[in-house]
């Protein structure tokens, strides 16, 4: 009875999957006001409220917030991927439990049939019945049947015991996967809360700027990227880079560049929007080479190569925490999904701090 209760409880896990994998809307944390003080309280259209130096500080604040949101997005994506995996494992285990119960029932039916047959023969086992026979030929002909019957009985008991052990193992595994699923659900909720808080904070900073200031902010963003790209190219980092894309790499590049213009949405992996690793993982999936979902897992698990050896289709991982990724497309450029409020675009491969390069099809 205990085994049956355990098995029934494990099957019940499947019914709760829909509840566990959904996460509620997280409330964003209070957002601080931008630190730079207006240099003038003059109305719009006269002198700028912010000097370039002050506006640069705002830009740096916004960039930091979005980078933190990017790191939290990676944590969310990883937890989501693990949740899907655990959900799938529980479904498989639940099916195995159901199959095991059906097999046990069938084996018990067979055992019952053997018992009933023995009862009909007067309660004597086949061996005793043969020993009492006066017919030597009947005895010799039946000895093989006795052995077969004995072997069948042993096999039946062995199957029954093994199936019961398997059922207990499946139940234990289902419980363990249930706990992992719950842990990942909590991780998702925490990561989602962080993401919303960072994005809300960045959006509030931008919303407090006037149209002209937002235009200046965008230009400062471009200037910073161009400055970093120029310095990277001038360093000779890509002087000898001349590798040609593999067939799969060319397919991945074709997919990624076809998404240019689609918006960045955290946690998205197409077809209408993407986050940074959603774009790269889907591009390589389109090239029939599945890779890890997050930039951090791409950095951790994919083969690393030197910058001088990179070729189109390779992935460039950015920042010390591997929180951003873009796909190298040649000529010192990448295609990537930058951040919320921006679209998939081409950019200089050296416009951000490079951590390293990985090759999905090495």
């Amino acid at each position: 009875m205990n085994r049956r209760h355990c098995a029934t409880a494990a099957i019940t896990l499947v019914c709760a999957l829909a509840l566990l994998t959904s996460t509620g809307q997280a409330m964003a944390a209070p957002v601080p006001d931008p630190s730079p003080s207006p240099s003038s309280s003059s109305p719009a259209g006269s002198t700028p409220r912010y000097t370039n130096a002050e506006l640069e500080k705002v830009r740096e604040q916004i960039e930091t917030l979005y980078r933190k949101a990017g790191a939290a997005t990676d944590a969310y994506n990883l937890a989501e991927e693990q949740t899907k995996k655990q959900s799938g494992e529980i479904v498989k285990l639940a099916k195995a439990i159901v199959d095991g119960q059906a097999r046990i029932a069938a084996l018990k039916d067979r055992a019952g049939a053997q018992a009933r047959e023995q009862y009909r023969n007067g309660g004597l086992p086949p061996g005793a019945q043969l020993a009492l026979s006066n017919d030597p030929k009947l005895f010799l002909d039946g000895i093989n049947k006795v052995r077969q019957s004995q072997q069948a009985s042993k096999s039946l008991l062995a199957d029954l015991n093994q199936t019961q052990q398997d059922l207990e193992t499946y139940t234990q595994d289902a419980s363990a996967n249930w706990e992992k699923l719950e842990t990942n659900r909590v991780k998702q909720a925490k990561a989602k809360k962080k993401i919303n808080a960072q994005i809300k904070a960045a959006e509030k900073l931008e919303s407090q700027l006037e149209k002209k200031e937002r235009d200046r902010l965008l230009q400062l963003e471009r200037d910073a990227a161009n400055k970093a790209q120029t310095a990277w190219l001038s360093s000779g980092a890509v002087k000898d880079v001349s590798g040609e894309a593999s067939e799969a790499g060319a397919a991945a590049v074709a997919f990624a560049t076809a998404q240019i213009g689609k918006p960045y949405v955290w946690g998205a992996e197409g077809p209408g929007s993407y986050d940074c690793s959603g774009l790269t993982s889907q591009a390589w999936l389109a090239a029939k080479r599945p890779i890890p979902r997050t930039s951090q897992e791409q950095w951790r698990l994919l083969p690393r190569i030197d910058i001088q050896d990179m070729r189109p289709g390779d992935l460039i991982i950015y920042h010390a925490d591997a929180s951003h990724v873009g796909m190298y497309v040649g000529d010192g450029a990448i295609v990537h999904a930058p951040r919320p409020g921006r679209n998939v675009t081409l950019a200089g491969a050296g416009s951000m701090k490079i951590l390293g390069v990985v090759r999905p099809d090495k």
Side-chain angles (χ1 to χ4, degrees):
M1 290 298 292
N2 288 336
R3 291 192 182 108
R4 287 188 177 182
H5 287 317
C6 289
T8 303
I11 297 170
T12 307
L13 300 179
V14 183
C15 301
L17 285 178
L19 295 176
L20 282 179
T21 53
S22 62
T23 55
Q25 280 298 112
M27 298 298 293
V31 180
D33 292 331
S35 57
S37 302
S39 59
S40 170
S41 57
S42 302
S46 56
T47 58
R49 297 190 308 159
Y50 293 94
T51 65
N52 277 353
E54 291 169 336
L55 205 53
E56 175 63 19
K57 289 183 180 180
V58 174
R59 185 194 70 78
E60 290 174 354
Q61 280 185 283
I62 291 173
E63 181 179 310
T64 298
L65 288 167
Y66 279 127
R67 277 191 55 193
K68 289 180 178 179
T73 297
D74 237 27
Y76 175 91
N77 289 337
L78 182 58
E80 183 180 52
E81 188 175 34
Q82 291 172 337
T83 295
K84 289 178 181 177
K85 181 180 179 181
Q86 296 308 136
S87 298
E89 289 297 321
I90 290 177
V91 170
K92 290 179 183 178
L93 288 167
K95 184 179 184 303
I97 290 171
V98 172
D99 291 345
Q101 288 179 321
R103 179 165 176 76
I104 286 175
L107 290 170
K108 286 182 176 180
D109 285 345
R110 285 174 55 192
Q114 287 185 359
R116 290 190 294 272
E117 178 65 22
Q118 183 173 329
Y119 177 78
R120 285 194 294 269
N121 290 330
L124 293 174
Q129 295 173 33
L130 286 173
L132 295 174
S133 173
N134 293 323
D135 187 342
K137 185 177 185 303
L138 178 61
F139 181 86
L140 293 174
D141 290 343
I143 194 68
N144 189 48
K145 291 182 179 179
V146 172
R147 288 173 178 168
Q148 290 177 351
S149 177
Q150 290 174 338
Q151 185 62 37
S153 296
K154 289 180 180 178
S155 178
L156 177 62
L157 289 174
D159 284 351
L160 186 58
N161 289 333
Q162 184 61 53
T163 303
Q164 288 174 331
Q165 290 175 11
D166 289 345
L167 196 58
E168 291 177 357
T169 300
Y170 296 151
T171 302
Q172 292 170 0
D173 289 347
S175 297
N177 281 323
W178 171 271
E179 292 176 1
K180 291 178 182 177
L181 190 66
E182 178 65 12
T183 298
N184 288 329
R185 185 193 68 79
V186 172
K187 287 181 180 178
Q188 278 181 279
K190 289 182 178 179
K192 187 173 185 178
K193 185 175 181 180
K194 287 182 180 179
I195 294 164
N196 285 333
Q198 303 296 348
I199 292 176
K200 291 286 186 184
E203 288 175 343
K204 183 174 182 179
L205 282 174
E206 288 193 83
S207 70
Q208 292 173 344
L209 300 175
E210 295 176 353
K211 173 73 167 58
K212 289 183 179 180
E213 291 167 341
R214 288 197 295 272
D215 291 341
R216 287 169 58 208
L217 187 71
L218 180 59
Q219 188 58 51
L220 287 174
E221 183 180 305
R222 290 170 177 164
D223 290 345
N226 289 336
K227 182 179 179 181
Q229 173 72 355
T230 299
W232 184 64
L233 293 175
S234 299
S235 71
V238 289
K239 179 182 178 182
D240 299 321
V241 174
S242 59
E244 294 184 0
S246 64
E247 183 177 350
V253 169
F255 179 94
T257 53
Q259 312 314 308
I260 290 176
K262 294 182 179 180
Y264 176 107
V265 173
W266 69 263
E269 47 189 337
S273 58
Y274 297 87
D275 62 20
C276 65
S277 57
L279 176 65
T280 55
S281 60
Q282 287 300 306
W284 273 99
L285 183 62
K288 304 189 186 316
R289 293 294 183 93
I291 63 173
R293 168 64 176 86
T294 71
S295 60
Q296 291 175 344
E297 289 296 280
Q298 289 168 8
W299 173 244
R300 187 173 72 88
L301 297 175
L302 296 178
R304 300 179 186 180
I305 62 169
D306 293 333
I307 289 179
Q308 296 92 326
D309 298 326
M310 69 181 177
R311 65 192 186 194
D314 289 342
L315 305 181
I316 302 181
I317 310 296
Y318 294 94
H319 311 309
D321 59 359
S323 58
H324 191 71
V325 59
M327 178 177 291
Y328 185 66
V329 296
D331 297 326
I334 59 167
V335 59
H336 72 143
R339 64 167 178 81
R342 299 288 186 264
N343 298 329
V344 176
T345 187
L346 290 173
S351 58
M352 297 167 284
K353 182 65 175 178
I354 294 175
L355 177 61
V357 183
V358 295
R359 176 165 296 166
D361 61 339
K362 185 173 181 179

